[in-house]
């Protein structure tokens, strides 16, 4: 039994080594094919969630520059209207702002239906809405306070995708999901956020198989990018949303990991979607960390542990020590 198992393994490894050069040639040719066969999205209909600021706002502008018709979705109606006006000035022939919450399944169904009712079609869905929590899991005041992070990041993408699939099948359309490099690297202090993004990657890799040849899916695994998050917006351990630039610098280590500009990030993402690429990772240096994670996971884990010690040290300094009560004998 052991001998036959060994023989099978040797045969499999031999076949893989024989096929590897042909696979490398195939990947090389596909790279050039996709590079020179970019989809023209002028006049096509693009639905973008989380479009009122940050990456979502600049994805809106990038699609607008290419002449796409847009439906932009967010909760902050005043900001959404400003983004819509800017997109029109940049070249979008029609922009429809819709105030909605991706946490509400009925809202997601509504804005997909309104898109198709208005334009008669749907070509791209950009699942961008998301939030981040920053705290060590042991410091969470109540673990259930962090549930909105998983709900927004995961279900806030799954709901619109579910309702958009029939329309995207008809147009042979595309889906973009904004995941994160945290899904791969698992940095300390971002455990719930990382888990929600890892769930997104797993879900859309499965969808890529289920919807093969009908809908193209691009997964964005982004590193630090200029947005409200890098400016300090986060969900606290108490479940409230606040801005704290110092905390973000500690948890994301912004001093050593400079953020990419949102316009550059948006351009790289839309380029990848139009080339039907499976993944897009920016900043580019994140790919080096991904490779190290595969080849030397202990090194990434050691670096993460050192960063965790830094977070704990900062937390100890930031938390005031209550004064010792004096007894009557004192």
């Amino acid at each position: 039994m052991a001998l036959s198992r060994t023989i099978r393994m040797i045969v499999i490894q031999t076949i893989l080594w024989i096929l590897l050069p042909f696979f490398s040639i195939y990947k090389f040719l596909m790279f050039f094919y996709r590079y020179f066969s970019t989809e023209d999205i002028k006049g096509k209909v693009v639905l973008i969630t989380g479009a009122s600021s940050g990456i979502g706002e600049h994805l809106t502008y990038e699609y607008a520059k290419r002449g796409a018709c847009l439906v932009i979705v967010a909760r902050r109606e005043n900001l959404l209207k400003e983004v819509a006006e800017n997109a029109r000035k940049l070249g979008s022939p029609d922009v429809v702002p819709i105030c909605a919450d991706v946490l509400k399944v009925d809202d997601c169904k509504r804005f997909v239906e309104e898109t198709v009712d208005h334009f008669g079609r749907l070509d791209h869905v950009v699942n961008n809405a998301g939030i981040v929590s920053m705290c060590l899991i042991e410091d969470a005041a109540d673990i259930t306070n962090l549930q909105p992070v998983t709900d927004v990041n995961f279900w806030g993408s799954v709901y619109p995708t579910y309702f958009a699939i029939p329309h995207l099948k008809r147009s042979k359309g595309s889906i973009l999901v904004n995941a994160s490099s945290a899904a791969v690297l698992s940095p300390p202090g971002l455990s719930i956020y990382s888990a929600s993004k890892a769930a997104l990657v797993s879900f859309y890799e499965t969808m890529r198989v289920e919807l093969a040849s009908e809908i193209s899916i691009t997964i964005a695994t982004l590193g630090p990018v200029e947005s409200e998050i890098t400016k300090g917006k986060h969900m606290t351990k108490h479940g409230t949303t606040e801005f704290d630039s110092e905390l973000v610098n500690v948890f994301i280590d912004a001093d050593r990991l400079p953020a990419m500009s949102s316009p550059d990030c948006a351009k790289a993402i839309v380029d990848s979607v139009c080339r039907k690429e499976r993944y897009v990772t920016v900043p580019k240096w994140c790919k080096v960390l991904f490779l190290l994670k595969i080849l030397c996971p202990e090194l990434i884990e050691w670096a993460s542990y050192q960063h965790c010690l830094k977070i704990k040290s900062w937390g100890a300094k930031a938390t005031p020590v209550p004064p010792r009560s004096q007894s009557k004998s004192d």
Side-chain angles (χ1 to χ4, degrees), residues 263-306:
D264 289 343
C265 174
K267 184 179 185 306
I269 289 174
V270 178
D271 283 345
S272 296
V273 173
C274 291
R275 289 196 293 262
K276 309 293 185 183
E277 293 183 1
R278 295 163 59 84
Y279 300 94
V280 52
T281 301
V282 288
K284 296 293 186 183
W285 52 259
C286 287
K287 293 183 178 181
V288 177
L289 298 181
F290 290 178
L291 184 62
L292 286 175
K293 177 79 172 182
I294 296 171
L295 299 178
C296 190
E298 296 85 358
L299 178 60
I300 297 296
E301 187 174 325
W302 176 83
S304 295
Y305 178 68
Q306 299 306 311

Side-chain angles (χ1 to χ4, degrees), residues 33-280:
Y33 171 75
R34 287 174 176 162
Y35 190 84
F36 291 107
S37 61
T38 300
E39 178 186 4
D40 182 5
I41 57 174
K42 185 176 182 179
K44 292 193 174 181
V45 179
V46 181
L47 170 63
I48 304 174
T49 66
S52 61
S53 65
I55 298 171
E57 176 183 357
H58 288 280
L59 283 169
T60 299
Y61 298 155
E62 188 62 34
Y63 274 107
K65 292 174 186 176
R66 303 180 189 217
C69 298
L70 301 171
V71 176
I72 55 176
V73 178
R75 291 180 300 170
R76 295 174 292 184
E77 188 173 10
N78 56 331
L79 294 179
L80 202 59
K81 289 180 178 179
E82 291 180 13
V83 173
E85 185 59 33
N86 292 336
R88 293 186 188 99
K89 293 177 181 177
L90 288 170
S92 177
D94 194 359
V95 185
V96 179
I98 299 178
C99 188
D101 187 346
V102 295
L103 264 181
K104 299 176 180 177
V105 66
D106 290 338
D107 276 15
C108 295
K109 183 178 181 182
R110 173 174 60 85
F111 64 66
V112 169
E113 289 178 347
E114 287 185 16
T115 300
V116 177
D117 288 344
H118 183 85
F119 291 105
R121 60 182 295 158
L122 178 57
D123 298 286
H124 286 206
V125 170
V126 177
N127 293 299
N128 171 73
I131 56 175
V132 64
S133 60
M134 296 182 190
C135 73
L136 298 175
I137 198 67
E138 60 186 315
D139 294 336
D142 180 347
I143 191 62
T144 60
N145 289 337
L146 302 179
Q147 184 174 339
V149 177
T150 55
D151 288 344
V152 172
N153 292 350
F154 182 72
W155 291 109
S157 289
V158 173
Y159 290 157
T161 296
Y162 173 75
F163 293 114
I165 283 174
H167 310 292
L168 293 173
K169 280 186 174 182
R170 284 193 287 271
S171 64
K172 296 290 183 181
S174 298
I175 295 173
L176 167 73
V177 57
N178 187 357
S180 170
S181 61
V184 179
L185 301 174
S186 307
L190 303 177
S191 54
I192 302 297
Y193 173 78
S194 300
S196 67
K197 294 297 188 177
L200 273 184
V201 173
S202 180
F203 176 81
Y204 283 96
E205 285 181 341
T206 304
M207 287 302 97
R208 186 184 285 131
V209 176
E210 293 185 9
L211 303 172
S213 77
E214 295 181 288
I215 299 174
S216 170
I217 296 178
T218 300
I219 301 173
T221 49
L222 307 180
V225 176
E226 290 176 356
S227 65
E228 286 187 329
I229 291 175
T230 56
K231 293 176 182 177
K233 186 177 181 180
H234 69 288
M235 177 166 284
T236 70
K237 60 185 179 182
H238 302 289
T240 59
T241 301
E242 297 179 3
F243 277 85
D244 187 338
S245 58
E246 182 184 359
L247 183 140
V248 170
N249 286 335
V250 172
F251 277 81
I252 299 183
D253 206 2
D255 293 335
R256 289 190 294 176
L257 302 175
M260 183 181 192
S261 74
S262 291
D264 289 343
C265 174
K267 184 179 185 306
I269 289 174
V270 178
D271 283 345
S272 296
V273 173
C274 291
R275 289 196 293 262
K276 309 293 185 183
E277 293 183 1
R278 295 163 59 84
Y279 300 94
V280 52

